[in-house]
Amino acid sequence: AQSVAQPEDQVNVAEGNPLTVKCTYSVSGNPYLFWYVQYPNRGLQFLLKYITGDNLVKGSYGFEAEFNKSQTSFHLKKPSALVSDSALYFCAVRGSGSARQLTFGSGTQLTVLP
Amino acid sequence: GAVVSQHPSRVICKSGTSVKIECRSLDFQATTMFWYRQFPKQSLMLMATSNEGSKATYEQGVEKDKFLINHASLTLSTLTVTSAHPEDSSFYICSGGFTDTQYFGPGTRLTVL
C-alpha cells in the first residue's frame, strides 16, 4: 500500500521569506510524486512532479521540490513567498505500475503574511 | 497543462432526488478518469475509477448503486448521486490525465437539503 504524510496542518511564513511544505511518502517500487495546490472552493492545480531524473524539480509559480530517496521525502519549496501563495497544498504519490490513481496527503494550509 | 471541466459547479437538491455531475476532458482523451470526494478541510478520498467503455471500479466502502458512474466517451464521465441524502453533501472532484499526470476539474459543491 502507498501512503503520504504531510506532518504540518498549517505553515505560516512572512511575505518575502522562503517557504517549505513537508512531505514524506511510502510506496512500492519507484515513486511518482506530485504537488498540487487548491484555492477555496476550487479543484486542484498541478504544480510539479518527479518521475525520474534530477532530484530538484522546478514547477509552476516559482515552486520547486527536492526528491530525497534515502529520506523518502519530497518537500515543496519557494525562495520568496507571496501573499497570493496562501492556499492548501497537497502532496500525492503513486507507484510506477499500471495503476494511475493517486494517494494524497492530508494537506497543508499555507498562509503567507504580508 | 490539460484542462478538465465539471458541470455544474454548484448544485442544491432535495433529499431523495438524483443529481448528475459531468466531467469533461477538453483537450485530451481520457480512457480513465477518477472521482474523488472531499470534506471540508480534509484531503481527497478516491471514490471510483471510471473506465471508458466498461464498468467503473469502486473503492471499498463506496456504494456503486448509489454513486453511478458512466464513461461513455473518451472525453466524458458522469457521476450520478442517486436518492441523495444530506450526508452526501460534499465537494466532488474528478480528474483525468495522460502521460504521468492527473489534471483535476474545478469541483462540484453538492448540498442536499
Side-chain angles (χ1 to χ4, degrees):
Chain A
Q2 54 199 37
S3 64
V4 177
Q6 292 181 243
E8 301 158 316
D9 292 337
Q10 176 83 41
V11 170
N12 297 328
V13 297
E15 187 175 28
N17 281 3
L19 69 86
T20 298
V21 182
K22 296 179 180 178
C23 171
T24 58
Y25 66 91
S26 174
V27 69
S28 298
N30 295 322
Y32 287 23
L33 294 156
F34 303 83
W35 276 102
Y36 290 87
V37 60
Q38 185 179 34
Y39 294 95
N41 295 308
R42 305 290 291 275
L44 275 66
Q45 295 179 31
F46 170 73
L47 278 181
L48 50 80
K49 66 181 177 184
Y50 171 84
I51 305 299
T52 186
D54 289 342
N55 289 343
L56 184 63
V57 178
K58 294 187 182 297
S60 306
Y61 313 118
F63 284 93
E64 58 189 30
E66 186 166 12
F67 170 63
N68 187 316
K69 187 173 183 177
S70 63
Q71 297 185 5
T72 61
S73 67
F74 189 57
H75 301 330
L76 181 70
K77 301 182 179 184
K78 186 173 182 180
S80 179
L82 300 173
V83 172
S84 57
D85 293 330
S86 299
L88 187 58
Y89 289 80
F90 289 101
C91 180
V93 70
R94 73 168 179 91
S96 54
S98 59
R100 284 184 284 163
Q101 58 261 46
L102 297 172
T103 297
F104 285 87
S106 54
T108 298
Q109 179 67 48
L110 172 67
T111 300
V112 181
L113 305 168
Chain B
V3 180
V4 176
S5 70
Q6 275 184 249
H7 178 79
S9 59
R10 185 181 295 268
V11 58
I12 300 172
C13 69
K14 293 183 178 181
S15 185
T17 60
S18 295
V19 174
K20 180 184 284 188
I21 303 170
E22 293 185 347
C23 176
R24 293 183 185 272
S25 55
L26 298 185
D27 52 3
F28 66 98
Q29 293 182 329
T31 57
T32 302
M33 290 184 170
F34 300 97
W35 286 96
Y36 295 85
R37 185 173 179 176
Q38 186 182 30
F39 292 102
K41 299 187 184 299
Q42 293 190 25
S43 188
L44 280 71
M45 181 191 78
L46 180 65
M47 297 175 65
T49 302
S50 172
N51 303 298
E52 189 267 336
S54 65
K55 292 183 178 180
T57 305
Y58 291 83
E59 296 300 299
Q60 192 173 7
V62 178
E63 299 176 58
K64 63 180 181 180
D65 295 330
K66 179 167 188 61
F67 298 99
L68 300 178
I69 291 174
N70 184 280
H71 195 153
S73 78
L74 288 172
T75 59
L76 174 63
S77 175
T78 61
L79 169 68
T80 301
V81 183
T82 63
S83 187
H85 289 280
E87 57 264 31
D88 299 325
S89 298
S90 190
F91 194 54
Y92 293 88
I93 307 175
C94 69
S95 75
F98 57 97
T99 62
D100 301 310
T101 304
Q102 287 293 310
Y103 296 93
F104 288 79
T108 297
R109 173 74 60 192
L110 171 63
T111 302
V112 185
L113 302 176

